[in-house]
Amino acid sequence: MTDLTQWLPRAVAAIERWQSEYGPFTTHPSLAVADDSLARAFDDLTARLRDNYPFFHPRYVGQMLKPPHPAAVLGYVTAMLVNPNNHALDGGPATAAMEKDVVARLAGMFGLPQHLGHLTSSGTIANLEALFVARESHPGKAVAYSADAHYTHARMCHVLGIDGVAIPTDAGGRMDLFALEQSLASGHIGTVVATLGTTGLGALDPLPEVVAMARAYGARVHVDAAYGGFFALIADDSPEGVASAPFAAVADADSIVIDPHKHGLQPYGCGAVLFADPSVGRFYVHDSPYTYFSSDELHLGEISLECSRAGAAAAALWLTLEVLPLTAEGLGAALRPGRHGALEWHRLLERSAALRPYQAPELDIVTYLPRRTSMTEVDALSASVFHAAGAGDPRTQVHVATYAVTAAQARARSLGLREDADATRILRSVVMKPESAADIPAIHARLELLASDA
Ligand SMILES: *Cc1c(COP(=O)(O)O)cnc(C)c1O
């Protein structure tokens, strides 16, 4: 594996070499700190950082968390030593060019013939921008998203003063098309948000049908692929790939959000929004003519709601994609094992006497519960398995997550649970590190044991 103890000194040396070309100068004494006081504080920092879950480890299959790829760290740290600001071209021409380059690669991954887009500090801000454009292009109209969509959509509709409409989901956690059509028929919906990879279940909304239906009613389509977007690289309907149809339809959407800081191996601070029609840039800068935004001289600060943004984030993604390109063999090869692990885990759960699947995974998120008969028993045992698995000797800990489901959601999946409570926690695992795949049988066995001991 790429050894950062070798590479980080090269980052410092390369930037110092560039700096030295401008001639020597003395750092102001006000900025000088004694090595021993820094050492004390640094020791304190590293001690405090131990208070974390082992996101890096194969047996951490809890939330959507993992460390960035070393190439991303190297790209980030190297550019951070310069600290360019991608708000404006003269804030850092090099990283602005890298940002345009990586955004074009993301658009290419989805097959967009043309695009306008930029990186953001998160999926939340990227979705805010997409909904801002939804509001500006269809003023007075509502935005529809599924009941399982990320809560950011309801929240950002509130921020933007748009009506948000939650469309019920089906037994697979996907947007219900019948309910969507009823809502569209009201004439009130201006934009439909389809999620490719819901945050809870990794469900894929039926995008081809959503696009056709939205078009029939004159509505726009925004795709929230913050989590699932990179699965486009392995959307080949193969046994270790994912369904191709939803990803093929992304090219027909009006806007797309994808989070490189989720499945793109980046440190936090890297989301992206893409628009299929470059002319939406007019909503950002009202006094610029339409043609400005399709010219090559696009100025990132004029098409972003955020001002200062880390050029280092663009450098990190750029360096990562240079070595792990957006192809099935490149970054795709880092996604397939997790998908494989999720499917294998699902098969183990189907045969298990102690645990059972909640629903089949469409991506790399597995949901499961103890084989108990009532909502309260499932809730109590899920919680105790969750706590027991993550406790004790670090060499045997298994980290999973819990997920709350309502009685109606459990009923939709025919789990046959006695409804002695309105909701229950179940267990949820995101198999997002390729290294976790090989550990799935052992992880499953450990959880099975805990669920049957109790
Ligand atoms: C994570 C996520 C978001 C929010 O993105 P952040 O980067 O956490 O701000 C939005 N939508 C979906 C589907 C997500 O998975």
Side-chain angles (χ1 to χ4, degrees), residues 375-395:
M375 301 266 297
T376 52
E377 286 174 285
V378 167
D379 185 73
L381 191 48
S382 296
S384 84
V385 169
F386 164 74
H387 287 296
D393 186 345
R395 280 165 301 187

Side-chain angles (χ1 to χ4, degrees), residues 178-220:
F178 183 74
L180 176 63
E181 178 138 42
Q182 281 185 315
S183 197
L184 282 166
S186 72
H188 184 45
I189 308 296
T191 297
V192 180
V193 177
T195 304
L196 288 192
T198 56
T199 316
L201 304 170
L204 302 171
D205 282 341
L207 190 57
E209 293 80 5
V210 168
V211 169
M213 209 178 262
R215 298 297 180 229
Y217 289 92
R220 302 169 68 259

